[in-house]
Amino acid sequence: MKILVTGGLGFIGSHVVVELQNEGFEVIIIDNLSNSSEKVKDGIVSITDTQPVFENLDLRNKESVQDFFKRHNDLSGVIHFAASKAVGESVENPLLYYENNLNTLIYLLQEQQKIGKGNFIFSSSCTVYGQADEMPITEANSVKPAESPYGNTKQIGEEIIRDTCKVSKNINAIALRYFNPIGSHDSAKIGELPIGVPQNLIPYITQTAAGLREQLSVFGDDYPTPDGTCIRDYIHVVDLAKAHVAALKRLIEKKNKNNYEVYNIGTGTGSSVLEVINAFEKVSKQKLNYKIVDRREGDVISAYADTTKANKELGWKAETSLEDALASAWKWEQKIRG
Ligand code: UD1
């Protein structure tokens, strides 16, 4: 079965390509290399011993998308990652984010609508919940007004898919709301490659430990949590990748109950920033240089998933511990700096 993975050379996309190929799917990657490199393909090949087809296409070009679907009219599914994901940049340049994240989605769905059928997996985010009133967060929690244009593209993206599925009954879609993806493949042949100064906690930690950054700033220790730092649900990227394969199979095997479904993808466990630092120090056997600074604007206090729905309906569960996930991130950082 042939699966299109857009953004398949990115951090999460590349791990999904590996899991798909491990399961015998034939993969076609579309990536415009805006935040990735063709070298990632070599990592994928060296893990799976299988060469994915790669097309350097920009999905913002509608004609290219139409042409691609003409050439590949036998797709069993589309997993759509290609999107911009930096919160701060989205505030600076909202139109880039709306164009990049929404036009591409619309063009892909239009092609499935033309064919009259299709299986579609969408990368959504726990950011759609904002600061939820109760923990853990179930899919029934309300969607809160987005804090950034990036977050808004995930909310609007979900609405675009939901509305399309209402009228196109043979399009089957699943939105996966990721919590915080971290780590890398155990082989350290693929992993996260942040451009410039990382904004996310784990790459900042590993770069500090590797000596690229002087010191980690912990954004606030006066939150109403047990140790005062924010709580998140950190999920290993390989576990997350496997959730995509499970979701895709649910659609291919027609096990879905509705033609648009939503799942939380996390571990179900919340960890504070200080707990993450302690776990990192333990696995890396290094002291991390950090200091407590002011809160970062826009941070929610706490977000961790209730994963019951995904566990039951997708038959999937996160298996990697926080320590193992951090160890994989550290192994990757050492490899790319080595
Ligand atoms: C952020 C985005 C979220 C996006 C996700 C993608 C915000 C408000 N949210 O999630 O929309 O889907 O990235 O990866 O930007 N921290 C530090 N020091 C640092 C970096 C982070 O203390 O240098 C803390 C943060 O305050 C937070 C936790 O670490 O409590 C995790 O931060 P981060 O990795 O940026 O993820 P989120 O903010 O949860």
Side-chain angles (χ1 to χ4, degrees):
M1 284 187 186
K2 222 194 239 185
I3 309 297
L4 167 63
V5 181
T6 75
L9 296 180
F11 171 42
I12 303 173
S14 58
H15 287 82
V16 169
V17 171
V18 165
E19 295 308 316
L20 285 170
Q21 295 196 148
N22 282 344
E23 298 261 338
F25 288 99
E26 194 184 325
V27 176
I28 306 179
I29 294 172
I30 289 183
D31 203 302
N32 69 357
L33 304 179
S34 62
N35 192 15
S36 59
S37 129
E38 217 174 323
K39 282 196 195 124
V40 175
K41 196 157 65 86
D42 302 338
I44 293 171
V45 174
S46 123
I47 297 168
T48 60
D49 222 5
T50 310
Q51 187 82 32
V53 175
F54 166 59
E55 294 203 17
N56 183 344
L57 273 185
D58 195 320
L59 295 167
R60 288 173 296 192
N61 183 332
K62 191 170 176 167
E63 282 77 40
S64 301
V65 180
Q66 290 172 334
D67 175 64
F68 176 87
F69 273 79
K70 271 192 204 126
R71 289 184 285 115
H72 300 279
N73 54 10
D74 54 348
L75 293 174
S76 297
V78 174
I79 307 186
H80 182 42
F81 294 103
S84 303
K85 61 167 187 180
V87 175
E89 186 188 39
S90 80
V91 175
E92 303 290 318
N93 199 347
L95 291 178
L96 173 75
Y97 273 65
Y98 288 118
E99 182 190 32
N100 215 4
N101 295 7
L102 298 180
N103 285 13
T104 58
L105 172 66
I106 292 167
Y107 299 157
L108 289 168
L109 289 172
Q110 279 175 335
E111 293 312 302
Q112 290 201 324
Q113 208 170 39
K114 264 189 217 159
I115 309 165
K117 61 175 187 179
N119 295 321
F120 197 89
I121 310 285
F122 180 62
S123 300
S124 190
S125 167
C126 68
T127 193
V128 302
Y129 297 116
Q131 179 57 69
D133 302 324
E134 269 177 62
M135 289 300 135
I137 302 173
T138 72
E139 290 81 355
N141 271 60
S142 55
V143 166
K144 296 265 173 72
E147 292 271 351
S148 68
Y150 160 76
N152 212 16
T153 65
K154 293 299 173 191
Q155 294 191 2
I156 299 171
E158 286 194 7
E159 287 167 6
I160 288 172
I161 300 168
R162 188 198 59 205
D163 292 344
T164 304
C165 287
K166 259 189 217 155
V167 293
S168 298
K169 294 293 176 199
N170 291 324
I171 295 183
N172 290 282
I174 291 180
L176 299 177
R177 291 176 175 164
Y178 315 152
F179 282 67
N180 291 52
I182 63 163
S184 75
H185 195 267
D186 294 331
S187 65
K189 288 178 173 165
I190 52 172
E192 194 170 5
L193 286 167
I195 292 173
V197 182
Q199 306 299 313
N200 293 113
L201 180 62
I202 308 310
Y204 209 104
I205 287 179
T206 55
Q207 289 198 6
T208 306
L212 261 82
R213 311 279 156 215
E214 175 83 26
Q215 190 174 48
L216 168 77
S217 296
V218 173
F219 298 135
D221 69 347
D222 56 353
Y223 284 98
T225 62
D227 66 22
T229 61
C230 293
I231 292 175
R232 296 288 184 275
D233 183 339
Y234 296 94
I235 175 167
H236 189 229
V237 65
V238 175
D239 281 333
L240 176 63
K242 288 178 178 165
H244 289 77
V245 179
L248 181 71
K249 283 186 175 170
R250 179 175 172 82
L251 297 183
I252 289 173
E253 292 163 10
K254 302 195 186 313
K255 288 186 176 154
N256 51 323
K257 284 186 266 178
N258 297 300
N259 72 328
Y260 174 58
E261 296 178 321
V262 171
Y263 291 96
N264 283 345
I265 303 296
T267 65
T269 304
S271 306
S272 73
V273 177
L274 290 179
E275 282 170 339
V276 172
I277 293 172
N278 288 336
F280 178 80
E281 289 183 334
K282 194 171 151 198
V283 298
S284 68
K285 300 185 180 69
Q286 289 210 38
K287 271 264 154 266
L288 192 75
N289 182 17
Y290 72 90
K291 68 163 186 242
I292 311 287
V293 301
D294 287 347
R295 292 180 176 194
R296 176 172 74 176
E297 205 185 324
D299 270 341
V300 297
I301 304 162
S302 181
Y304 57 96
D306 182 320
T307 60
T308 313
K309 191 178 173 208
N311 300 158
K312 276 195 189 142
E313 296 182 6
L314 299 180
W316 164 92
K317 202 175 186 327
E319 280 164 356
T320 313
S321 67
L322 176 65
E323 287 183 6
D324 287 348
L326 290 169
S328 75
W330 180 227
K331 189 172 162 190
W332 168 250
E333 184 72 56
Q334 287 173 298
K335 165 155 180 227
I336 55 177
R337 304 301 160 204

